[in-house]
Amino acid sequence: MQMKVVKFGGSSLADADHFRQVASIIKADPCRHYVVASAPGKRFSADIKVTDMLYRCYDMIRSREDITDYYQQIKDRYNGIIADLGLNFDIDGELEYVKNAMTHASGRDYAASRGEYLNSLILAKYLGFAFIDAENVIFFKDNGSFDAERTQVAMREELKKYEYAVIPGFYGIMPNGTIKTFSRGGSDVTGSIVAAAANADLYENWTDVSGFMMADPRIVDKPCSIETITYRELRELSYMGAGVLHEDAIFPVRAAGIPINIRNTNAPEDAGTMIVATTASYDADRVITGVAGRKGFSVINIEKDMMNAEVGFTRRILDVLEDHEVSFEHIPSGVDTLSVIVPTAPLDDAKKEKLLAAITRRTRPDSVVIEDGLAMIAVVGRAMVKAKGTAARVFNSLAQAGINIRMIDQGSSELNIIIGVEESDYEAAINAIYKEFIC
Ligand code: ADP
Ligand code: ASP
Ligand code: MG
């Protein structure tokens, strides 16, 4: 029999109706052995995710506010689900324990992680599955990075004990015994880790859309779904902001050769998107697989006559970035110019000043400036390598929409074209590119 690991996101476990739907999906296929659960997400667009409420509690405690009333809303959400499901399960002791632990100097990650912990307790009870606490099977190292080896061994041993189990997503444990979470959306990563440890045939990632779409549905009206996508394409798209799957969720399953199937909890009959290592055939009618992007980049523009003839020029720039712990995204260059694209968020004014001063000192440029307000867009497609004129089509579509291109970079794999535009042009640019390739 096949082995499937299934992960359900926050919107799939936001209320009792969704719990019922999730249970019917799991019970419909006995291959669905291990279930990774998120914290309750939004029930309607103005709703607040439980994870965000827990972060808020933590902040309130830090500023010495009383959380009793606010925490009651969290209690109500969990108790509401239990009551609505008609479950005979008393979670009040757990809820009180969490409140106490939060108020007595537990960390921010501990607070956030309790969203998945409590939801998974309820789901395990409802399904009649075992509960495996992630703090016993997901390990981080002292430096905060994920400890893949230790996790793999412990997770394998634990999974062997149970035929069916629920594991909370998002968190694990540090060597000193404190709880640590992955970054936001990290339950996808837990699902991938469990799938690899279980040696699964398939990792099903259940969410609120029928698969990966060619563009963000919040920007493009009803974009087409992608039937099949390779890990590499997906990595490019999710790194650039396509939010369906956490960008790190690909690694554990890719190493084990396990495909991911993105599915819709609210439309389980839809096939969704298959994420695979390679596809035997190209989607003949589509040159691009998808387009995604992110705002919030800055460009450091450096000009110096005869820069190209100066041995070690780029290395000196990279040294400066390294000294200031700034990671870069792209370095497009001309004969006498070089641009470095960096995320804006870690750069406050003081850090910018220091960077500029250090670049000036090390490279004696004719000019160096930092400009904010750049959005980066990745146009990704495994078929681009065979199709001529793709870049021209991208640029024409943007020109016709009156959008100025601030930067262009093409990956050596010819899997993607990266374009920088003004943040204010971002949505229009995504739409223009999408329409060019889909019509
Ligand atoms: P979950 O709570 O199940 O983990 P997420 O909110 O993390 O779900 O991811 C699903 C959401 O990702 C969708 O509701 C959609 O708004 C957003 N999204 C962004 N880009 C895309 C895309 N290219 N295709 C589909 N959904 C996308
Ligand atoms: N609940 C966490 C978050 O909101 C993790 C997740 O949903 O994957 O980021
Ligand atoms: Mg998610």
Side-chain angles (χ1 to χ4, degrees):
M1 190 162 74
Q2 277 207 329
M3 157 67 71
K4 293 181 187 169
V5 168
V6 291
K7 177 256 169 180
F8 289 88
S11 51
S12 303
L13 291 166
D15 54 27
D17 280 344
H18 277 95
F19 265 70
R20 277 188 271 274
Q21 175 72 352
V22 163
S24 86
I25 290 169
I26 294 168
K27 296 286 163 90
D29 183 351
C31 300
R32 294 179 174 131
H33 284 269
Y34 302 119
V35 181
V36 173
S38 286
K42 292 183 179 198
R43 294 158 292 182
F44 42 88
S45 67
D47 201 11
I48 307 175
K49 285 178 162 193
V50 167
T51 310
D52 291 311
M53 297 174 88
L54 288 162
Y55 280 127
R56 171 92 200 279
C57 283
Y58 177 79
D59 291 341
M60 287 171 78
I61 291 165
R62 297 257 305 183
S63 50
R64 301 189 192 290
E65 285 175 65
D66 180 13
I67 63 163
T68 308
D69 289 348
Y70 192 72
Y71 191 69
Q72 185 61 41
Q73 295 180 45
I74 297 178
K75 286 178 159 179
D76 290 346
R77 282 206 66 176
Y78 287 114
N79 274 317
I81 292 172
I82 292 171
D84 224 338
L85 291 174
L87 259 185
N88 180 15
F89 182 40
D90 186 353
I91 202 169
D92 284 336
E94 290 282 354
L95 285 163
E96 268 322 293
Y97 183 91
V98 168
K99 182 173 178 238
N100 274 331
M102 284 201 299
T103 359
H104 292 98
S106 289
R108 186 170 187 266
D109 284 11
Y110 170 82
S113 73
R114 295 306 90 182
E116 345 296 284
Y117 171 78
L118 296 163
N119 222 24
S120 300
L121 283 179
I122 300 174
L123 185 63
K125 185 87 185 163
Y126 185 53
L127 293 170
F129 284 15
F131 171 79
I132 299 177
D133 194 340
E135 70 170 52
N136 299 324
V137 283
I138 302 257
F139 297 99
F140 292 92
K141 297 181 186 168
D142 274 323
N143 65 7
S145 64
F146 170 59
D147 190 340
E149 289 80 35
R150 197 169 164 212
T151 298
Q152 177 87 351
V153 173
M155 180 82 79
R156 276 218 169 122
E157 283 308 306
E158 197 64 14
L159 293 179
K160 268 194 223 150
K161 296 183 193 160
Y162 308 100
E163 199 181 358
Y164 293 98
V166 177
I167 302 124
F170 195 34
Y171 71 93
I173 198 158
M174 293 286 288
N176 68 4
T178 54
I179 295 289
K180 179 173 165 53
T181 66
F182 294 107
S183 56
R184 293 302 302 266
S187 298
D188 291 332
V189 183
T190 309
S192 184
I193 293 165
V194 176
N199 208 2
D201 298 285
L202 185 65
Y203 169 27
E204 287 179 347
N205 188 292
W206 292 81
T207 181
D208 61 349
V209 278
S210 290
F212 219 94
M213 295 171 194
M214 285 185 67
D216 188 335
R218 291 163 296 191
I219 298 177
V220 171
D221 187 31
K222 299 197 187 69
C224 301
S225 285
I226 301 171
E227 244 173 73
T228 317
I229 184 170
T230 61
Y231 293 129
R232 281 185 66 195
E233 289 172 301
L234 183 85
R235 169 98 181 114
E236 301 278 350
L237 288 172
S238 48
Y239 180 71
M240 282 306 280
V244 200
L245 197 71
H246 190 289
E247 66 189 71
D248 294 339
I250 294 163
F251 299 119
V253 279
R254 186 175 69 180
I258 301 165
I260 310 174
N261 188 194
I262 308 279
R263 298 284 292 268
N264 189 347
T265 301
N266 307 315
E269 60 287 355
D270 291 353
T273 299
M274 283 299 289
I275 305 165
V276 295
T278 52
T279 51
S281 61
Y282 289 111
D283 304 333
D285 54 337
R286 286 213 193 116
V287 178
I288 72 162
T289 306
V291 51
R294 268 196 278 157
K295 294 182 180 177
F297 291 97
S298 301
V299 52
I300 309 173
N301 282 319
I302 304 145
E303 279 185 33
K304 185 174 188 182
D305 281 347
M306 309 289 286
M307 165 194 296
N308 267 8
E310 208 178 296
V311 175
F313 189 88
T314 313
R315 180 182 50 75
R316 282 194 287 280
I317 303 272
L318 295 181
D319 280 347
V320 172
L321 293 176
E322 191 175 342
D323 291 346
H324 291 77
E325 294 184 346
V326 173
S327 63
F328 69 89
E329 303 282 326
H330 299 278
I331 308 195
S333 64
V335 188
D336 298 324
T337 61
L338 187 128
S339 305
V340 185
I341 315 289
V342 295
T344 310
L347 295 180
D348 56 19
D349 285 347
K351 193 152 188 181
K352 279 182 191 163
E353 286 304 320
K354 279 190 189 155
L355 258 183
L356 290 178
I359 291 174
T360 306
R361 223 174 23 250
R362 293 289 303 274
T363 65
R364 301 279 157 219
D366 297 333
S367 80
V368 51
V369 287
I370 301 185
E371 289 170 21
D372 296 340
L374 197 72
M376 303 288 284
I377 296 175
V379 185
V380 176
R382 57 190 180 273
M384 276 184 347
V385 65
K386 292 219 171 136
K388 290 199 178 68
T390 312
R393 285 177 69 187
V394 172
F395 305 147
N396 274 336
S397 68
L398 293 175
Q400 268 168 20
I403 294 164
N404 181 29
I405 300 176
R406 300 250 324 255
M407 189 222 89
I408 299 165
D409 201 0
Q410 180 164 28
S412 54
S413 59
E414 287 189 53
L415 189 72
N416 60 7
I417 298 170
I418 309 282
I419 300 146
V421 299
E422 298 288 338
E423 283 184 344
S424 55
D425 285 334
Y426 173 65
E427 284 82 6
I430 295 269
N431 270 292
I433 297 168
Y434 175 78
K435 289 206 180 78
E436 167 65 31
F437 288 95
I438 203 66
C439 293

